[in-house]
Amino acid sequence: MGTSTIAGIVRATCATIWLRLRASMLPQPTRQQWLQIAHGFLDRAQFPNCIGALDGKHIRVKKPPNSGSRFYNHKQYFSVVLLALVDTNYRFVIVDIGAYGSSADARIFRASRMSRWLECNQLDIPQPAPLPGSTGPPAPFVIVGDEGFALSPHLMRPFPRRGLDDKRRNFNYRLSRARRFVECAFGILSSKWRVFLSAIQLAPENVNTVIKACVVLHNFIRMYEATQDEDALAFPAQDQGEPSQLGRAGTAGLRVRELFCDYFASPAGSFPFPSQQASRGENWFLGPFSLLMTLWSGLILDGYVF
């Protein structure tokens, strides 16, 4: 069988997988499903009113002809970006596929359908609700991201690292506990589908088709075969995002972040910081396998394993 014939079969198969599985494996969440996702983040990351962890993954590709530097990313290779919102079961909730590798995550998000849906209130996100055990004002349901994203009322990012006090450092720790799920999901995706371990030798439109197929197959496996936490990451990932270049955060986003920051410092929302756990001799890792998975995921995300 000729190479072109095989290539045509692969393209057609990936396109069919996406068309057949997209509706069931990647549906737009309902309000009840958002609440279930939020319950997962409260239970497994101790971050209430969180409806997803957001990040972008660079998929290495062969340089497309006549593309200039559009696909050349800050890690010094050619790529397209998979921007994904992930739940605590490492399933993709919403994805945006195919942005140029040269684009920053924040700009990709701002131009995505996900961002427009959030701004236009088209995602059926639940109304603000009180934080557990708190008598303070209701808090909106939020997405967590790294420093590469702009702060908004529905997207929380860490405080800048300079001049952190204990309260803000604790907020960053709590946010990183929630954000690690998206990094884990990317690590699982790359280790499961080995096409991501080297540069994909396809035209950009066909690369996008392959990524779409892998995304829905990933969700299929997570839904029917994967266990809850055996391949989970036990401790928070470090913030690795690029500083946002989209201007200062709006006052509404700042108020929401301060609301969560105050709550995490209160008795109702407190959770031991790693240094406190270490001082009491507690083991806050889940075991050597989780550590290995964390290191593996980190290497993939940093571009060392492809």
Side-chain angles (χ1 to χ4, degrees), residues 27-38 51 85 93-94 113-128 140-143 154:
Q28 182 166 320
T30 63
R31 182 167 300 190
Q32 185 59 38
Q33 289 171 328
W34 286 125
L35 291 173
Q36 292 173 356
I37 292 172
I51 55 172
L85 185 71
V93 180
I94 301 175
R113 291 178 301 168
M114 192 188 322
S115 177
R116 293 195 295 272
W117 290 339
L118 273 174
E119 292 175 358
C120 299
N121 197 26
Q122 295 179 342
L123 288 177
D124 199 23
I125 294 174
Q127 292 298 311
F141 286 82
V142 298
I143 293 167
H154 288 291

Side-chain angles (χ1 to χ4, degrees), residues 10-23:
V10 171
R11 287 195 299 269
T13 301
C14 289
T16 301
I17 289 172
W18 170 254
L19 290 175
R20 294 289 186 178
L21 293 181
R22 179 185 181 184

Side-chain angles (χ1 to χ4, degrees), residues 25-270:
M25 293 296 108
L26 204 64
Q28 182 166 320
T30 63
R31 182 167 300 190
Q32 185 59 38
Q33 289 171 328
W34 286 125
L35 291 173
Q36 292 173 356
I37 292 172
H39 177 75
F41 276 98
L42 176 61
D43 182 54
R44 302 181 65 189
Q46 293 73 52
F47 200 111
N49 289 24
C50 177
I51 55 172
L54 179 70
D55 205 358
K57 173 176 174 57
H58 288 274
I59 308 295
R60 188 188 290 264
V61 299
K62 180 182 178 181
K63 180 185 177 183
N66 305 315
S67 62
S69 60
R70 287 177 295 175
F71 290 88
Y72 196 70
N73 64 39
H74 67 282
K75 299 180 181 180
Q76 301 183 349
Y77 59 83
F78 296 94
S79 66
V80 297
V81 178
L82 164 60
L83 184 74
L85 185 71
V86 171
D87 66 16
T88 54
N89 290 317
Y90 312 104
R91 291 198 295 256
F92 298 111
V93 180
I94 301 175
V95 296
D96 186 272
I97 298 169
Y100 296 135
S102 60
S103 302
D105 286 347
R107 287 186 172 84
I108 296 171
F109 175 70
R110 187 173 61 178
S112 69
R113 291 178 301 168
M114 192 188 322
S115 177
R116 293 195 295 272
W117 290 339
L118 273 174
E119 292 175 358
C120 299
N121 197 26
Q122 295 179 342
L123 288 177
D124 199 23
I125 294 174
Q127 292 298 311
L131 298 173
S134 171
T135 58
F141 286 82
V142 298
I143 293 167
V144 295
D146 62 21
E147 294 171 337
F149 295 96
L151 183 68
S152 76
H154 288 291
L155 202 164
M156 296 290 98
R157 55 166 282 173
F159 284 101
R161 301 176 189 177
R162 291 184 179 179
L164 286 176
D165 57 21
D166 288 342
K167 187 168 74 170
R168 292 187 171 189
R169 187 176 295 108
N170 181 54
F171 171 86
N172 285 2
Y173 165 66
R174 297 289 289 272
L175 185 140
S176 69
R177 283 178 56 85
R179 193 175 59 80
R180 76 186 193 267
F181 287 97
V182 65
E183 297 188 355
C184 296
F186 287 150
I188 295 168
L189 179 75
S190 295
S191 61
K192 178 69 70 174
W193 309 106
R194 300 186 65 83
V195 67
F196 297 123
L197 299 184
S198 60
I200 302 177
Q201 308 288 319
L202 295 172
E205 60 272 16
N206 295 329
V207 170
N208 295 346
T209 303
V210 170
I211 296 171
K212 289 176 181 178
C214 291
V215 163
V216 293
L217 288 173
H218 169 93
N219 278 7
F220 182 90
I221 291 173
R222 296 304 305 173
M223 182 174 294
Y224 292 109
E225 295 185 12
T227 55
Q228 282 288 320
D229 227 15
E230 282 76 2
D231 51 5
L233 307 198
F235 57 90
Q238 297 298 317
D239 295 328
Q240 301 177 33
E242 299 175 3
S244 175
Q245 300 177 357
L246 299 181
R248 295 181 60 85
T251 56
L254 292 170
R255 286 198 300 268
V256 172
R257 186 167 64 178
E258 286 295 339
L259 176 61
F260 279 96
C261 186
D262 292 340
Y263 173 74
F264 291 148
S266 71
S270 63

